[in-house]
Structure formats: C-alpha cells, structure tokens
Amino acid sequence: MSGPTEFEAVATDDGLAGPGLQNDEDEVAGPIAGRSLTAIAWRRLRRDRIALAGGVVVVLFILVAVLAGPITAIYGQNYATQHNTGNSLLDPLTQMPQGAFSGASGTHWLGVTPVLGLDILANLIYGAQTSLIVGFLATAFSLVLGVTLGVIAGFARGWVDTVISRIMDVLLSFPTLLFSIALIAVSSYINSSEVFRFSIIIFVLGFFGWPYIGRIVRGQVLTLREKEFVEAARSLGASNGRIMAREIAPNLVGPVLVYTTLAIPNNILGEAGLSFLGIGVIPPTPSWGQMLSDASQYVQVDPWYLFMPGLAIFITVLAFNLFGDGLRDALDPKSTR
C-alpha cells in the first residue's frame, strides 16, 4: 500500500486533514447558533453563584408566604393560638417562656412569645405572608406609576417633562416617614379594618417609591427615542402610542426587572418599620416588624424572641439585594463580572 504523497505529508504535518480524515475541531464544531439577549443574560446569571443563592432564598420566601396555611397545618400550630393558660410553657409568675431559646421544644420549634405564648415559628411564617403582600403590591403600584409617567416624560419632553420631573423632585424631597405616620394614624380613625390598613400602607409605600423608577425610565427613554429603530418606526407612520408600546417599552424590561428586585426588599423594610412603630398592620395579623417591637420589651430576659424576626428580615432583604445585584450585572452588556 503506497504511503502519502509529499503534499499530503506536509499537509498532515501542518495539522491539516488528509484525504478522508477530519480535524478534531471539525468533529466538534457545528453550525453557529445565535443567542437571544435573554439567553445571554441567563448564561451570565448562572455563573454568579452568589446571585443564584439569593434567588433560591427568594423563591423559598415566596413559597413559604404563599403556602403559609398548609405549612402551619403540617407543623401543627396556629399563629393566633395562645398558650398562656393550662400548660407549662410560660412561668406562672413572670409569664416568660420556660427553658432556653424561648422554651423551644419538639412541639414549638422556635419557642413561644412572652405573656401570650404565641408560637414564634407560625408567626414568622405568616409574617412572611404579610411582607410578601405589602412588598409586592407596593412595588407593583410604584412600577405602574413610575414606568407610565417616566415614559411619558421622556418621550414627550417639553412642558410635560418639566411638570412630571418637578413632581418627582418634590416627592423625593418630601419627609416620607413623617407623612406616612400622619396619614396612617389619621386613616385609622376613619376605618380600622385590616384590609383598609393594608391598602393605606401599600399606597404610602408605593406612592412615595415611584419617582425612583420614574427617573430611571425617563433617562432611558430620552436615549431610546433618538435611536435609529425609533426613527424608522416614525418614518413608517407609527403613532406615538405604538412607538412607546412596541419599540421603547420592550427595551425597558431590564432596568425595570432590576429595580423590582431592589424595591421589594425596601418595601418589606418599610412595612417592618411602620409595624415596629405601631402604625403598621393590626394585631393579631403577624408582622416581622410588629414581632420586633414586641420583642424589644423583653430583650434582656428573652433575646431569642428578638433574634428570630430580625434574622428573617436580614436574610430576606439580603437575598433580594444579592439577586438584584446579580441580575443587574447579567443584563448589563458592559459588565465584566
């Protein structure tokens, strides 16, 4: 059998394939497939393990809040059930939990509260539900206002932009906490129902939060409205409404998603702060801030009761912030992370 010719031998030495042979690269390489922006962002986010860990905690928080009823039913304790009579959970003289860690046991895993003897774990679970409702609805309310007014201000410009921008400036310089306390305190005399109190808290947190996303969206729209694809749509006769809805709005998804993941923990902290001050949700509806307020009275004799709701707030807010930070880097094409 004859050997390779001179040309074939040289070609093989150079790393080129001879007749009937293929390089390893040719075996592995296939047709080049394009990736969408979503696929690229997910690929970058998947490499950020800290952000993914935060996302896992966020998902667990949502599941616990949504499934609070079934979880407490399996656990066997209700958040409103008092264990202050006819048992040995509380000291009959001091009304403090007996035993270490607020009297933690196989029945009450994290112990019970002083005086009333409420199960701490059950209240933490339902407190997550309160935080989820307020955090998500307040963020949704601020997103609707902020995105709508931000798009209008950035696209219309002129006197419309001036009026909306000045309203943002006024709200950003307003003493939000003092106004929130006054509004909620006054509204409690009008209607003291639980639903009304939730509505007022959501309105206050959402209304004073929309200027932040409004400014971000306005700046993005001011840039996008000068892009070539917007000019092309305008030259084809597209109306302003269609341009804002079809051309500009899809390009705002990234900033809005990042803002959402960062605004939810801020609203959770806002609800906890209002409840800590005694103007949040109405007892016996559980709230992490309310638990902190109650536990602060017994911190010297029962620090565990203060530690648990504080830890729940810390972990939840940290998880949202880590996930939001990672999502921002994944959606930013200029990021090197």
Side-chain angles (χ1 to χ4, degrees):
M1 186 174 181
S2 60
T5 63
E6 181 180 358
F7 172 78
E8 290 172 335
V10 172
T12 303
D13 291 339
D14 289 340
L16 300 176
L21 299 177
Q22 291 182 335
N23 287 332
D24 292 339
E25 295 180 356
D26 292 335
E27 294 177 355
V28 176
I32 299 176
R35 293 189 179 93
S36 64
L37 294 178
T38 303
I40 295 174
W42 167 243
R43 185 181 182 184
R44 299 182 67 180
L45 180 63
R46 193 171 53 189
R47 295 174 179 173
D48 192 342
R49 296 185 178 181
I50 296 178
L52 284 182
V56 171
V57 175
V58 168
V59 172
L60 291 177
F61 163 74
I62 295 174
L63 290 176
V64 168
V66 172
L67 303 175
I71 292 175
T72 53
I74 296 174
Y75 173 52
Q77 299 294 333
N78 186 275
Y79 72 91
T81 303
Q82 300 181 6
H83 303 87
N84 55 351
T85 57
N87 55 63
S88 58
L89 294 176
L90 299 180
D91 188 288
L93 297 178
T94 62
Q95 292 297 299
M96 297 298 297
Q98 299 194 76
F101 304 109
S102 299
S105 63
T107 305
H108 304 278
W109 294 357
L110 298 181
V112 296
T113 66
V115 182
L116 295 180
L118 302 174
D119 187 86
I120 294 179
L121 179 57
N123 276 265
L124 286 176
I125 294 173
Y126 272 92
Q129 191 175 75
T130 300
S131 298
L132 179 72
I133 293 173
V134 174
F136 274 70
L137 292 183
T139 302
F141 181 55
S142 64
L143 282 178
V144 172
L145 285 178
V147 172
T148 302
L149 295 177
V151 169
I152 293 174
F155 191 83
R157 297 193 300 186
W159 67 269
V160 176
D161 182 22
T162 301
V163 172
I164 295 177
S165 297
R166 296 298 77 78
I167 293 175
M168 292 182 189
D169 293 337
V170 170
L171 291 177
L172 289 173
S173 61
F174 210 82
T176 305
L177 182 59
L178 295 179
F179 183 81
S180 303
I181 294 173
L183 180 61
I184 296 175
V186 171
S187 63
S188 63
Y189 290 101
I190 301 175
N191 192 330
S192 59
S193 67
E194 179 180 349
V195 175
F196 185 76
R197 181 63 69 90
F198 263 96
S199 302
I200 291 297
I201 296 173
I202 291 169
F203 171 79
V204 168
L205 295 176
F207 182 74
F208 285 102
W210 76 263
Y212 296 96
I213 182 59
R215 279 195 164 187
I216 296 173
V217 169
R218 173 184 173 273
Q220 292 289 324
V221 173
L222 285 173
T223 302
L224 290 171
R225 75 184 305 276
E226 306 299 333
K227 297 294 185 179
E228 291 79 3
F229 62 89
V230 174
E231 294 295 335
R234 185 178 288 110
S235 66
L236 293 174
S239 62
N240 290 337
R242 181 180 178 86
I243 292 175
M244 286 189 287
R246 295 293 186 89
E247 306 295 337
I248 293 180
N251 290 279
L252 300 175
V253 173
V256 169
L257 282 177
V258 173
Y259 172 80
T260 300
T261 57
L262 298 177
I264 290 175
N266 287 335
N267 289 326
I268 290 176
L269 285 175
E271 182 276 325
L274 293 175
S275 297
F276 181 83
L277 295 174
I279 56 173
V281 297
I282 304 173
T285 302
S287 167
W288 291 343
Q290 187 184 98
M291 293 178 69
L292 284 174
S293 178
D294 184 43
S296 63
Q297 306 175 47
Y298 312 102
V299 62
Q300 294 183 343
V301 291
D302 189 12
W304 180 257
Y305 180 27
L306 181 71
F307 175 76
M308 293 313 300
L311 181 64
I313 294 174
F314 171 76
I315 292 177
T316 302
V317 173
L318 180 63
F320 270 103
N321 287 331
L322 290 177
F323 180 69
D325 188 58
L327 186 62
R328 179 187 59 197
D329 293 333
L331 295 173
D332 184 5
K334 297 180 181 179
S335 176
T336 58
R337 291 180 58 182

